[in-house]
């Protein structure tokens, strides 16, 4: 049987924790890493008699994401109760949107090997998070309710994704947008962004979906891609042997790089959804949507397009610079201050991003301020220091955090632009290399580079290479 | 003694809060072993607070020195709040219900927590895990439910006022059976924050008092918008005690057509007949109308209420607070905790509620009930665009013997037939003591008003109160 006779159909459910001041239904402040059960109140603990009151900020953030993904915003959406027993869910129901979500019918463009593809976004809805269990030998099972009631948005894609790579790309794009909007820190390892995947295979060309399975607990882009590839192969092999795919839920085992079955369809829950009677339907008027729209900054795709037009950079450079909003902001300050887009882009992409990688540091914490980098680039450009000295100054700026002028002075790196000084160096070189001089004069003009190199070497890099070149030509002839 | 009488005595400096509280506590200790209205009494703290109030002036506190009993499903910070269930035995909430905060701010003194049907599920106060409350008029009879403890405590003069909660008639029905006034306001008039939920879209806290005026006075204090309850409505009714003496003239009152054929006690029919005549004599306009279908209403009520209850009661699992059964596994702990902690009526309703919400049955039951609810609401809306009030019995008859209906849930459920429509439609309703049956037990007449029509409702209730000659002193 031909390997291409099956088509993979993948849908993603992504949970993103919103960076609100307070929880979804109470005034507790969420705080990652706080001592267990210290960020709780009767409401988020679901104590008898306590009632939820909706936090408007979370709605605004959800609308922002909806608009960023070109969704329709529902004028009326409804919270429902999703009933299930679990010890870290204090009410034993979760408050989530079910049949009337806040945002629907959106899309997201991703770059794939096959070119740009559009992935449909079926819905975005708000819901509250549950707590956290830990099972400790000797101490039994412990519950931390701090995370209870933390606002989440769930972004559900249409089953438009075809490969693990596309899924990872889609997820990366979502993370990028969430971070641009400033509504989620997108941290997969800490669980502030979580991803569940639905996968099914069908005969190529068939309109009917196959039986789907679910993978939960994917906490990295790599895990998403690997998990999907693993599951696609498993399903393909079953189908090719004429066997049936059972509807199951798998967990991704990070350490062993394989899937572990969590539950089968028979154990699936009946959530008994019904409208949450403690909350009125959520009405979102035009003004609210406009307020949310105004809070949306320029998004990565628009920004890449603008960088291309405004700074004349390559698509690749624009993509790299805009991947992180902080880096793009940094670049813009440097480029605007220097007026040298390409040079600024090179510096930011090579030196700055290289160092960020080495230091495992966020751009916001990078010791070299963009204003100082701009000064440095200008100093190199106007010949005050050489390019190689520039890199030395940059290293020093990372260590000390100081400005470039001060460092140049301290290290004595000013370029020699004094023609008399350079002339005397050139005189010495001419007398030291008579052979090269005569070969040059015989027409081997390529030796010009050799002479300039000698000048730089003798001046320990401080000579202005352009000036040196002019003087050599003057002395030896063009 | 009514609130208004006590207020007069206080303003004339004839009595001090500590004396009034002491006398109520004395009444509780001499009567409650017979009536069993209270689950918990807090004499020391009540006296402490009363003595503190002795030193303050009553100015600005509308319920200054008024002793009050609170149904045991209303959270009181630091005091056991059990919903009369074993599953919440020993549970002390870390916060006060909004109504409790408002009562305390208004100067009231809480004397204790009253008995009820477990989780407010029942119509007799026989479904308590702790005790069976007796009707003060005849202790062989039920006080009604689920706020039976609150109604009996007022009827037996142990307190002048109490708070109950009404999901399908649980304030009005025991008020009727105990001969006191019971008011359920418009849904959202009183904050539910701190009321341990039975059925969230139906529950309302309300006062049980000796007089209509007292009912208005307590409602003034406990009602109003609450930032902690998203379903509360802005309070625009103003002072409800004003205007209740305006009389019946010009009021348009609807009475169910063919009430003479209704399956209710003959005495109630007689009372209704006499009332209609008197109202007309006072220039009220009484007309007979088709009421929204009572049978549909009660069916709809039992589906919606139990569906919500099944979800609201899911939190009692032994993980976090109060009762936990010993067990080997998590699953077993859930099962045994809930199996041993809940009584039969609660289990029955949780099962029913779970069933009507489950996949495959949702459309046939829950969704259908929602549609019926919408229909009832719109019928009432149209009715109240033409009439100020609807008058009908509160309960089909007087109280019944303890134990008589406990094994017949359907018969028990039917005692709520006249009270559930107000909850389904979220409308205000009141029960006023109207007289006695042949066996000497009280009967009540109910009034309903349109959305946020509390002022009209209380005015009408005051008219009935005067007609029936009750002035809150019937058992004294």
């Amino acid at each position: 049987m031909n390997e291409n006779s099956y088509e993979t159909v993948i849908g993603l459910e992504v949970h993103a924790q919103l960076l609100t001041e307070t929880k979804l239904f109470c005034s507790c402040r969420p705080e990652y890493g706080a001592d267990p059960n210290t960020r709780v109140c009767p409401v988020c603990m679901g104590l008898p008699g306590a009632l939820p009151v909706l936090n408007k900020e979370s709605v605004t953030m959800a609308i922002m994401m909806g608009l960023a993904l070109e969704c329709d915003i529902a004028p009326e959406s409804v919270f429902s109760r999703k009933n299930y027993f679990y010890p870290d869910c204090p009410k034993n129901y979760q408050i989530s949107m079910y049949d009337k979500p806040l945002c629907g019918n959106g899309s997201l463009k991703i770059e794939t090997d096959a070119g740009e593809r559009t992935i449909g976004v079926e819905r975005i809805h708000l819901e509250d998070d549950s707590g956290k269990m830990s099972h400790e030998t000797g101490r039994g099972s412990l519950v931390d309710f701090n995370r209870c009631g933390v606002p989440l948005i769930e972004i559900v894609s249409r089953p438009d994704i075809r490969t693990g790579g596309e899924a990872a790309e889609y997820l990366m794009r979502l993370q990028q947008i969430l971070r641009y909007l400033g509504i989620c820190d997108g941290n997969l390892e800490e669980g502030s962004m979580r991803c569940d995947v639905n996968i099914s295979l069908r005969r190529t060309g068939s309109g009917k979906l196959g039986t789907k399975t679910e993978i939960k607990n994917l906490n990295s882009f790599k895990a998403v891609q690997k998990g999907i590839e693993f599951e696609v192969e498993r399903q393909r092999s079953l189908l090719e042997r004429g066997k049936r795919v059972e509807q199951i839920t798998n967990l991704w085992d990070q350490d062993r790089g394989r899937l572990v079955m969590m539950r089968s369809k028979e154990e699936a829950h009946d959530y008994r959804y019904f409208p949450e009677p403690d909350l009125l339907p959520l009405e979102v008027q035009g003004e609210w949507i406009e307020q949310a729209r105004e809070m949306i900054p320029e998004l990565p795709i628009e920004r890449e397009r603008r960088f291309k037009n405004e700074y004349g950079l390559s698509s690749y450079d624009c993509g790299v610079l805009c991947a992180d909003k902080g880096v793009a902001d940094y670049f813009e300050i440097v480029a605007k201050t220097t007026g040298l887009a390409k040079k600024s882009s090179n510096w930011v992409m090579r030196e700055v991003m290289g160092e960020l990688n080495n230091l495992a540091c966020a751009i916001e914490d990078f010791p070299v301020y963009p204003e100082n980098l701009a000064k440095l680039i200008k100093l190199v450009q106007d010949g005050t220091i050489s390019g190689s000295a520039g890199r030395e100054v940059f290293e020093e700026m990372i260590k000390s955090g100081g400005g470039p002028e001060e460092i140049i002075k301290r290290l004595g790196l000013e370029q020699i632009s004094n023609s008399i000084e350079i002339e005397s160096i050139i005189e010495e070189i001419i007398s030291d290399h008579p052979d090269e001089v005569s070969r040059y004069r015989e027409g081997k003009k390529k030796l010009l580079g050799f002479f300039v190199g000698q000048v730089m070497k003798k001046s320990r890099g401080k000579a202005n290479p352009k000036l040196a070149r002019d003087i050599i030509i003057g002395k030896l002839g063009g | 003694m009514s609130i208004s009488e006590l207020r007069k005595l206080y303003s004339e400096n004839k009595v001090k809060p500590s004396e009034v509280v002491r006398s109520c506590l004395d009444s509780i200790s001499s009567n409650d072993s017979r009536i069993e209205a209270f689950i918990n009494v807090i004499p020391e703290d009540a006296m402490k607070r009363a003595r503190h109030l002795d030193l303050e002036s009553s100015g600005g506190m509308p319920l200054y020195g008024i002793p009050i009993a609170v149904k045991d499903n209303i959270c009181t910070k630091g005091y056991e709040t059990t919903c009369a269930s074993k599953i919440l035995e020993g549970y002390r909430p870390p916060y006060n219900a909004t109504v409790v905060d408002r009562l305390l701010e208004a100067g009231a003194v809480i004397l204790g927590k009253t008995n009820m049907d477990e989780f407010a599920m029942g119509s007799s106060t026989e479904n308590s895990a702790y005790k069976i409350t007796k009707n003060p008029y005849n202790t062989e009879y039920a006080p009604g439910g689920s706020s039976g403890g609150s109604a009996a405590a007022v009827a037996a003069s142990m307190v002048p006022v109490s708070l109950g909660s009404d999901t399908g008639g649980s304030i009005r029905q025991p008020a009727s059976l105990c001969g006191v006034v019971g008011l359920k306001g418009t849904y959202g008039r009183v904050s539910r924050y701190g009321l341990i939920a039975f059925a969230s879209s139906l529950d309302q806290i309300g006062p049980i008092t000796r007089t209509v005026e007292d009912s208005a006075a307590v409602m003034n204090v406990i009602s109003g918008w609450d930032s902690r309850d998203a379903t509360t409505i802005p309070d625009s009714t103003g002072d409800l005690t004003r205007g209740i003496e305006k009389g019946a003239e010009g009021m348009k009152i609807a009475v169910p057509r063919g009430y003479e054929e209704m399956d209710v006690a003959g005495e109630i029919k007689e009372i209704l007949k006499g009332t209609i005549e008197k109202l007309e004599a006072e220039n009220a306009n009484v007309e007979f109308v088709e009421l929204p279908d009572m049978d549909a209403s009660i069916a709809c009520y039992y589906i919606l209420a139990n569906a919500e209850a099944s979800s609201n009661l899911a939190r009692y699992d032994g993980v976090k607070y109060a009762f936990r059964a010993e067990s080997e596994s998590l699953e077993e702990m859930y099962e045994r905790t809930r199996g041993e902690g809940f009584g039969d009526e609660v289990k029955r309703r949780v099962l029913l509620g779970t069933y009507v919400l489950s996949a495959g049955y949702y459309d046939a039951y829950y969704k259908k009930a929602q549609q019926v609810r919408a229909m009832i609401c719109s019928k009432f809306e149209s009715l109240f665009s033409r009439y100020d009030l609807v008058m009908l019995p509160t309960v089909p008859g007087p109280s019944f013997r303890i134990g008589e209906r406990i094994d017949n849930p359907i018969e028990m459920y039917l005692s709520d037939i006249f009270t559930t429509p107000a909850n389904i439609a979220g409308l205000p309703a009141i029960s006023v003591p109207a007289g006695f049956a042949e066996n000497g037990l009280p009967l009540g007449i109910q009034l309903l008003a349109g959305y946020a029509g509390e002022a009209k409702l209380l005015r009408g209730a005051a008219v009935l109160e005067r007609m029936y000659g009750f002035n809150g002193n019937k058992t004294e």
Side-chain angles (χ1 to χ4, degrees):
Chain A
M1 199 171 286
N2 183 340
E3 205 192 53
N4 294 323
S5 61
Y6 289 101
E7 181 182 37
T8 308
V9 179
I10 302 167
L12 257 59
E13 292 167 16
V14 176
H15 284 92
Q17 178 178 330
L18 297 177
L19 291 168
T20 48
E21 287 281 309
T22 57
K23 291 185 181 180
L24 188 54
F25 299 120
C26 67
S27 54
C28 288
R29 289 173 185 277
E31 189 188 334
Y32 184 79
D35 285 342
N37 300 309
T38 57
R39 299 292 181 275
V40 294
C41 73
V43 176
C44 56
M45 285 287 288
L47 289 188
L51 297 172
V53 176
L54 181 60
N55 169 2
K56 284 196 160 179
E57 191 189 10
S58 57
V59 179
T60 305
M61 288 182 175
I63 297 173
M64 286 167 72
M65 191 59 182
L67 294 174
L69 297 183
E70 289 167 1
C71 289
D72 301 327
I73 310 298
E76 184 183 289
S77 43
V78 173
F79 282 100
S80 288
R81 289 190 187 173
K82 181 181 183 181
N83 295 283
Y84 60 97
F85 279 82
Y86 203 71
D88 71 358
C89 180
K91 303 181 291 291
N92 283 327
Y93 58 81
Q94 189 185 9
I95 304 178
S96 177
M97 288 170 166
Y98 177 56
D99 52 351
K100 292 180 177 171
L102 179 59
C103 316
N105 203 24
S107 66
L108 177 65
K109 289 190 170 57
I110 59 168
E111 291 294 330
T112 70
D113 298 338
E116 190 180 77
R117 292 203 54 222
T118 301
I119 308 300
V121 172
E122 188 166 312
R123 58 188 282 155
I124 303 175
H125 67 252
L126 275 162
E127 62 186 33
D128 60 350
D129 205 350
S130 53
K132 210 174 95 185
M133 296 283 294
S134 56
H135 308 280
E136 296 181 13
T137 27
R139 294 183 71 193
S141 295
L142 306 174
V143 195
D144 175 6
F145 292 111
N146 278 352
R147 215 173 60 192
C148 286
V150 164
L152 304 177
I153 46 173
E154 183 172 341
I155 306 159
V156 182
S157 84
R158 292 236 160 86
D160 294 343
I161 298 167
R162 294 288 166 264
T163 66
E166 284 183 16
E169 173 67 20
Y170 168 85
L171 195 60
M172 236 179 277
R173 274 287 171 187
L174 279 187
Q175 182 195 52
Q176 194 184 30
I177 293 170
L178 287 164
R179 286 178 171 168
Y180 261 70
L181 295 174
I183 61 173
C184 172
D185 62 24
N187 195 327
L188 283 107
E189 292 77 24
E190 286 179 7
S192 54
M193 191 174 167
R194 283 168 257 165
C195 179
D196 299 339
V197 183
N198 290 302
I199 304 166
S200 64
L201 260 59
R202 66 176 168 199
R203 291 251 172 219
T204 308
S206 162
K208 223 178 107 203
L209 289 170
T211 306
K212 70 178 179 185
T213 64
E214 193 179 8
I215 314 177
K216 285 185 173 291
N217 238 14
L218 295 160
N219 60 1
S220 73
F221 297 118
K222 207 175 117 194
V224 169
Q225 184 162 354
K226 289 257 153 135
I228 289 172
E229 284 164 3
F230 195 98
E231 178 61 14
V232 168
E233 276 321 303
R234 194 186 67 88
Q235 287 193 21
R236 187 198 306 281
S237 135
L238 280 172
L239 294 171
E240 281 173 358
R241 283 180 285 139
K243 295 197 172 168
R244 273 183 9 163
V245 174
E246 301 292 329
Q247 191 178 329
I248 56 167
T249 299
N250 287 312
L251 290 175
W252 177 248
D253 183 331
Q254 179 88 342
D255 300 331
R256 281 183 262 175
R258 63 182 181 86
L259 295 170
V260 184
M261 189 170 106
M262 185 176 143
R263 61 170 177 257
S264 68
K265 193 195 177 187
E266 287 68 41
E267 301 162 62
H269 287 111
D270 176 2
Y271 291 116
R272 304 191 311 280
Y273 282 101
F274 74 102
E276 164 61 277
D278 288 329
L279 294 166
L280 301 174
L282 171 60
E283 286 177 23
V284 175
Q285 308 297 339
E287 201 182 324
W288 198 348
I289 297 173
E290 285 322 303
Q291 278 171 6
R293 198 188 302 278
E294 277 165 28
M295 290 168 75
I296 298 177
E298 187 181 30
L299 292 172
I301 288 185
E302 301 160 36
R303 199 168 204 186
E304 283 173 31
R305 202 172 297 142
R306 182 170 62 80
F307 274 21
K308 221 167 154 180
N309 295 334
E310 202 172 319
Y311 300 112
L313 302 175
S314 71
S315 298
Y316 174 79
D317 287 5
C318 294
V320 172
L321 289 171
C322 294
D324 181 301
K325 181 169 182 287
V327 171
D329 289 344
Y330 187 101
F331 162 76
E332 285 226 83
I333 298 174
V334 177
K336 288 223 159 83
T337 317
T338 58
L340 302 163
K342 182 64 192 161
K343 287 217 156 52
S344 300
S345 144
N346 288 344
W347 272 90
V348 171
M349 283 171 60
R350 286 179 208 153
E351 320 303 332
V352 176
M353 293 181 77
E355 279 304 322
L356 288 177
N357 239 335
N358 290 341
L359 302 170
C361 153
I363 188 81
E364 287 75 18
D365 306 320
F366 193 59
V368 179
Y369 297 139
E371 294 80 2
N372 280 339
L373 178 62
K375 277 185 202 160
L376 177 62
I377 293 172
K378 278 205 306 222
L379 289 167
V380 173
Q381 177 68 15
D382 69 16
T384 309
I385 55 171
S386 66
S388 57
R391 265 172 281 280
E392 205 179 325
V393 173
F394 182 72
E395 305 269 309
E396 193 56 31
M397 282 160 77
I398 291 168
K399 278 184 215 145
S400 67
E405 293 98 335
E406 175 259 329
I407 290 168
I408 290 166
K409 234 173 235 153
R410 180 150 52 83
L411 302 181
L413 291 173
E414 289 103 330
Q415 192 156 258
I416 305 165
S417 293
N418 179 329
S419 46
I420 298 171
E421 211 171 319
I422 294 175
E423 251 188 87
S424 75
I425 295 171
I426 290 173
E427 298 281 318
E428 279 177 46
I429 290 167
I430 290 174
S431 63
D432 287 351
H433 299 279
D435 284 2
E436 283 80 2
V437 170
S438 51
R439 271 163 58 204
Y440 179 86
R441 286 194 166 132
E442 282 157 19
K444 232 170 163 5
K445 299 297 181 206
K446 272 189 182 166
L447 282 165
L448 182 59
F450 165 78
F451 292 114
V452 175
Q454 289 298 312
V455 176
M456 296 312 288
K457 198 172 164 190
K458 255 203 144 67
S459 67
R460 285 175 32 245
K462 290 198 273 180
N464 181 332
K466 194 171 172 295
L467 193 58
R469 193 182 135 97
D470 291 347
I471 295 172
I472 294 165
I473 290 170
K475 289 210 179 281
L476 301 180
Chain B
M1 196 73 79
S2 67
I3 297 176
S4 33
E5 286 164 332
L6 281 172
R7 284 183 59 138
K8 191 155 176 284
L9 293 176
Y10 284 136
S11 66
E12 290 165 356
N13 281 321
K14 288 194 175 143
V15 69
K16 288 190 292 188
S18 61
E19 292 165 340
V20 171
V21 167
R22 169 55 59 209
S23 108
C24 285
L25 289 170
D26 289 346
S27 169
I28 293 170
S29 38
S30 54
N31 290 312
D32 204 43
S33 56
R34 192 167 52 91
I35 307 294
E36 301 200 84
F38 284 86
I39 290 187
N40 273 303
V41 183
I42 47 168
E44 291 82 12
D45 290 346
M47 279 309 292
K48 204 167 133 192
R49 177 164 161 81
R51 280 193 290 267
H52 189 74
L53 286 167
D54 286 352
L55 307 174
E56 289 186 41
S57 83
S58 62
M61 286 193 276
L63 296 181
Y64 173 82
I66 304 299
I68 187 165
V70 175
K71 190 175 180 179
D72 204 38
N73 58 354
I74 297 170
C75 288
T76 41
K77 186 176 177 176
Y79 297 114
E80 206 173 346
T81 302
T82 68
C83 287
S85 180
K86 185 181 171 189
I87 214 158
L88 274 172
E89 191 167 358
Y91 176 66
R92 289 166 196 274
Y95 73 100
N96 272 335
T98 296
V99 290
V100 168
D101 278 339
R102 288 182 178 175
L103 288 174
L104 295 176
E105 245 169 75
V109 180
I110 293 170
L111 300 197
K113 307 298 286 290
T114 54
N115 195 27
M116 56 187 281
D117 284 306
E118 184 180 359
F119 280 102
M121 296 173 182
S123 309
S124 66
T125 314
E126 291 167 281
N127 296 319
S128 162
Y130 302 108
K131 49 179 67 170
I132 294 176
T133 300
K134 319 297 185 302
N135 193 313
Y137 281 86
N138 183 336
T139 53
E140 286 176 19
Y141 284 76
S146 67
S147 308
S150 290
V154 174
S157 296
M158 295 191 272
V159 281
V161 50
S162 63
L163 290 187
S165 71
D166 192 313
T167 306
S170 283
I171 288 174
R172 290 159 286 155
Q173 192 255 23
S176 176
L177 302 192
C178 290
V180 289
V181 177
L183 168 65
K184 179 202 91 82
T186 303
Y187 182 78
R189 171 71 73 208
V190 179
S191 169
R192 290 181 296 116
Y193 189 78
L195 170 66
I196 298 182
F198 161 14
S200 312
S201 75
L202 303 156
D203 295 342
Q204 275 292 284
I205 296 171
I208 295 174
T209 55
R210 306 181 70 75
T211 68
V212 173
E213 190 190 355
D214 282 4
S215 188
V218 177
M219 202 60 179
N220 276 346
V221 167
I222 61 173
S223 69
W225 184 78
D226 180 12
S227 63
R228 293 180 294 185
D229 177 356
T231 62
T232 50
I233 55 177
D235 195 22
S236 55
T237 315
D239 181 357
L240 291 168
T241 61
R242 289 209 187 134
I244 65 172
E245 73 295 338
K246 277 186 195 158
E249 183 157 357
M251 286 199 116
K252 293 174 81 176
I253 298 164
V255 174
R257 197 189 306 282
Y259 75 89
E260 301 90 340
E261 277 82 50
M262 286 190 311
D263 189 15
V264 297
E267 297 100 326
I268 293 178
K269 292 178 190 167
E270 283 305 307
I271 291 167
L272 273 175
K273 192 174 168 221
T275 310
I276 293 165
E277 284 165 11
K278 285 183 197 161
L279 283 168
E280 283 175 334
E282 294 195 16
N283 291 324
N285 187 0
V286 181
E287 283 177 34
F288 296 95
V289 299
E290 284 310 320
L291 278 192
D293 189 349
M294 297 289 171
D295 290 342
S297 174
I298 199 153
C300 167
Y301 167 80
Y302 275 99
I303 288 169
L304 296 178
N306 294 343
E308 290 179 21
S310 72
S311 172
N312 283 330
L313 268 55
R315 71 194 65 199
Y316 308 105
D317 57 9
V319 172
K320 303 161 296 269
Y321 36 76
F323 177 70
R324 173 190 291 179
E326 282 311 313
S327 49
E328 294 296 312
S329 70
L330 179 69
E331 198 94 334
E332 192 192 341
M333 183 180 87
Y334 285 162
E335 288 172 6
R336 291 192 52 195
T337 298
R338 293 168 68 80
E340 294 167 25
F342 287 139
D344 288 346
E345 182 62 23
V346 172
K347 284 182 202 163
R348 182 151 48 222
R349 298 204 191 195
V350 167
L351 285 173
L352 272 168
T354 305
Y355 179 80
V356 301
L357 284 177
S358 52
Y361 299 100
Y362 181 90
D363 286 355
Y365 295 104
Y366 185 84
K367 202 169 165 195
K368 182 63 83 183
Q370 287 279 49
Q371 288 163 349
V372 172
R373 182 177 199 172
M375 185 194 78
I376 291 171
C377 287
S378 80
K379 282 190 176 173
F380 269 120
E381 200 179 331
S382 122
L383 191 63
F384 284 112
S385 68
R386 288 174 285 138
Y387 299 94
D388 296 310
L389 299 169
V390 166
M391 181 169 73
L392 72 173
T394 311
V395 191
S399 184
F400 43 89
R401 281 181 191 277
I402 288 167
E404 188 182 316
R405 292 185 188 168
I406 197 72
D407 294 323
N408 190 343
I410 299 296
E411 195 186 345
M412 192 77 98
Y413 292 175
L414 286 175
S415 61
D416 293 338
I417 191 154
F418 296 124
T419 48
T420 48
N423 303 80
I424 292 288
L427 301 175
I430 193 166
S431 177
V432 181
F436 295 91
E438 269 179 25
N439 60 8
L441 291 170
L443 297 166
I445 292 294
Q446 185 184 201
L447 292 176
L448 266 70
Y451 188 77
E454 272 84 348
K456 278 183 190 171
L457 185 74
L458 287 157
R459 177 181 159 197
V463 169
L464 298 191
E465 183 177 52
R466 178 169 45 75
M467 283 178 180
Y468 303 140
F470 277 57
N471 269 315
N473 290 315
K474 47 211 165 280
T475 61
E476 283 165 352

